[in-house]
């Protein structure tokens, strides 16, 4: 993977560009994709955003989201667009298999691939150019830096601003995580100066739940949470029947894991959800417990030091049992 700076000259030649991100895009994946989209179209490129899967309804207010192609829904159309691409931007993931069924078409595409990402241990050999900075708050912050460093700050219009603000806000837990540096606030100050209305965005993302989501949250906290005080750990487990009973959709479980860390003394929070094809884990920690490594070693996952994900093919009982069996190995680190 060559340094991103070497890619900048290619911005001047109008090209067919695809932008993609990790499966089940969150605010940062969708925000960085759309932010980059609204920037690149101003340079005369033909740009398509392809999401590997569907996404949460709370992202559907975003400028340009209607143009995003869901690969699982429109495989042939998406494949034809990938086949025509000169350049593919890969945002907010560190390894192609984070794009689920889009992995193979991406790997097979014989074009320039550009990585912009902040996850740990990127598979650099999969990309032509790129930048990977694990200290960055979000991929949205990195897309902002990319636009500025390429000499195009004047191209940051309100559509770019709204998109990029979304990911910076969601990935920093509304500006509270340690990754919220002075650069983050300076970026947001610039977006405000050009007219960004940030309250609207908070409201669109956080105040748009339906009743069933709140009922489900209450149910899960009451009936599906276990606190393992001896390890300063709290876990939550959601059965597929729970998802059906409360009509839970993509995105409705996002943020649930954060409740675990809001308890005094809890350093490690883990939630496992019984999705159709797999058991999906979310791990969060406070302080010096490294959930990226934990997820990599035990649950085929990864992510960041304090926020990571993983998966398991075992059933919910077995994957929970495995977690509880492993935990004592980490007793010292969790004290
Ligand atoms: P979440 O728990 O919100 O799904 O994910 C937390 C962080 O870990 C996000 O940055 C996400 O991209 C990353 N992540 C989630 N699942 C996986 C996984 O299976 N593998 C890797 N490498 N990263 C993941
Ligand atoms: Mn991110």
């Amino acid at each position: 993977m060559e340094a991103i700076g070497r890619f900048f000259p290619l911005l001047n030649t109008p090209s067919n560009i695809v932008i993609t991100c990790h499966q089940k895009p969150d605010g940062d994946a969708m925000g960085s994709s759309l932010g980059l989209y609204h920037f690149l179209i101003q340079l005369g490129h033909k740009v398509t955003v392809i999401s590997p899967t569907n996404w949460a309804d709370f992202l559907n207010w975003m400028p340009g989201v209607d143009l995003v192609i869901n690969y699982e829904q429109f495989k042939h159309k998406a494949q034809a667009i990938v086949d025509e691409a000169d350049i593919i931007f890969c945002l907010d993931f560190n390894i192609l298999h984070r794009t689920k069924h889009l992995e193979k078409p991406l790997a097979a595409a014989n074009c320039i691939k550009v990585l912009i990402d902040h996850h740990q241990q990127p598979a650099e050999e999969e990309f032509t150019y790129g930048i990977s900075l694990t200290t960055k708050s979000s991929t949205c912050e990195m897309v902002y830096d990319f636009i500025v460093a390429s000499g195009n700050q004047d191209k940051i219009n309100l559509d770019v601003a709204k998109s990029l603000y979304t990911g910076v806000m969601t990935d920093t837990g509304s500006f509270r995580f340690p990754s919220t540096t002075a650069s983050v606030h300076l970026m947001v100050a610039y977006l405000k100066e050009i007219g960004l209305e940030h309250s609207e965005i908070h409201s669109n993302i956080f105040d748009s739940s339906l009743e069933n989501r709140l009922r489900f949250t209450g149910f899960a906290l009451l009936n599906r949470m276990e606190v393992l005080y001896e390890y300063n750990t709290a876990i939550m487990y959601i059965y597929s029947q729970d998802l059906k009973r409360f009509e839970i959709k993509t995105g409705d479980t996002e943020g649930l894991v954060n409740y675990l860390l809001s308890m005094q003394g809890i350093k490690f929070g883990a939630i496992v959800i019984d999705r159709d094809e797999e058991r999906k884990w979310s791990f969060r920690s406070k302080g010096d417990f490294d959930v990226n490594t934990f997820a990599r070693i035990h649950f085929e996952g990864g992510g960041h030091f304090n926020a990571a994900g993983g998966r398991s093919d075992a059933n919910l009982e077995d994957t929970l049992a495995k977690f509880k069996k492993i935990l004592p190995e980490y007793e010292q680190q969790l004290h």
Side-chain angles (χ1 to χ4, degrees):
M1 184 169 94
E2 287 196 58
I4 195 86
R6 288 176 174 259
F7 170 78
F8 289 152
L10 299 180
L11 282 174
N12 302 321
T13 312
S15 305
N16 286 331
I17 297 184
V18 165
I19 301 173
T20 191
C21 58
H22 61 75
Q23 64 151 318
K24 301 280 173 188
D26 57 4
D28 192 32
M30 189 60 92
S32 55
S33 299
L34 290 173
L36 186 63
Y37 168 85
H38 289 295
F39 162 63
L40 291 173
I41 56 172
Q42 295 176 65
L43 300 179
H45 300 290
K46 187 169 170 248
V47 190
T48 310
V49 179
I50 301 177
S51 168
T53 65
N54 69 344
W55 53 87
D57 285 349
F58 59 71
L59 300 175
N60 278 337
W61 61 273
M62 296 187 76
V65 77
D66 295 343
L67 302 171
V68 178
I69 297 178
N70 172 353
Y71 179 73
E72 285 187 333
Q73 210 178 355
F74 300 106
K75 274 202 176 73
H76 293 291
K77 189 175 169 194
Q79 180 68 58
I81 294 169
V82 168
D83 289 343
E84 289 291 301
D86 304 306
I87 301 168
I88 301 178
F89 277 93
C90 298
L91 304 185
D92 204 35
F93 66 85
N94 52 0
I95 184 156
L96 288 180
H97 76 67
R98 292 280 290 130
T99 63
K100 208 177 172 185
H101 301 306
L102 196 52
E103 177 186 2
K104 279 204 181 106
L106 290 179
N110 186 19
C111 68
I112 292 167
K113 291 169 200 161
V114 186
L115 173 77
I116 304 180
D117 179 52
H118 65 140
H119 293 91
Q120 307 218 354
Q121 294 142 291
E124 296 201 10
E125 67 285 357
E126 293 180 339
F127 307 98
T128 327
Y129 300 94
I131 181 159
S132 158
L133 292 173
T134 57
T135 53
K136 282 287 172 181
S137 65
S138 54
T139 303
C140 280
E141 184 191 354
M142 298 180 74
V143 167
Y144 175 85
D145 293 346
F146 171 87
I147 297 172
V148 173
S150 70
N152 288 295
Q153 189 161 19
D154 60 317
K155 300 277 188 307
I156 296 178
N157 59 23
L158 270 181
D159 286 343
V160 176
K162 286 178 189 174
S163 307
L164 297 184
Y165 183 84
T166 300
V168 175
M169 176 190 86
T170 52
D171 261 27
T172 59
S174 301
F175 307 97
R176 61 179 286 205
F177 299 150
S179 59
T180 315
T181 57
S183 310
V184 168
H185 287 293
L186 288 167
M187 162 187 169
V188 173
Y190 182 80
L191 302 182
K192 286 296 294 173
E193 264 174 7
I194 65 159
L196 177 81
E197 300 273 1
H198 68 281
S199 293
E200 269 176 25
I201 297 180
H202 286 256
S203 203
N204 287 335
I205 297 278
F206 297 118
D207 305 337
S208 57
S209 299
L210 298 178
E211 179 183 343
N212 65 320
R213 186 180 181 193
L214 262 73
R215 301 272 180 211
F216 168 72
T217 303
F219 168 86
L221 289 168
L222 188 62
N223 300 300
R224 299 287 185 255
M225 184 178 82
E226 222 176 293
V227 187
L228 308 164
Y229 286 103
E230 62 275 45
Y231 304 113
N232 295 316
T233 295
I235 57 178
M236 196 178 262
Y237 42 92
I238 307 295
Y239 293 95
S240 57
Q241 311 84 281
D242 300 337
L243 300 175
K244 282 198 200 88
R245 174 176 167 193
F246 288 92
E247 295 176 37
I248 291 307
K249 290 197 293 189
T250 299
D252 281 348
T253 53
E254 210 163 300
L256 208 48
V257 65
N258 298 319
Y259 283 101
L260 304 176
L261 283 190
S262 71
M263 252 180 302
Q264 258 183 32
I266 296 301
K267 289 184 182 166
F268 183 21
I271 177 169
V272 58
I273 300 175
D274 193 356
R275 301 248 180 245
D276 300 333
E277 66 279 21
E278 62 186 11
R279 265 43 60 210
K280 188 79 186 96
W281 283 97
S282 280
F283 302 111
R284 297 290 186 276
S285 67
K286 267 196 193 136
D288 56 8
F289 184 64
D290 175 6
V291 291
N292 168 53
T293 304
F294 182 89
R296 266 172 201 275
I297 295 178
H298 303 294
F299 292 105
E300 302 169 42
H304 310 286
F305 193 92
N306 293 125
R311 60 173 302 286
S312 167
D313 286 323
N315 67 31
L316 194 72
E317 274 76 22
D318 290 350
T319 190
L320 262 180
K322 176 178 170 181
F323 180 91
K324 287 184 181 173
K325 191 161 171 242
I326 296 162
L327 206 55
E329 289 175 33
Y330 295 89
E331 186 172 8
Q332 294 223 313
Q333 289 182 45
L334 289 164
H335 269 277

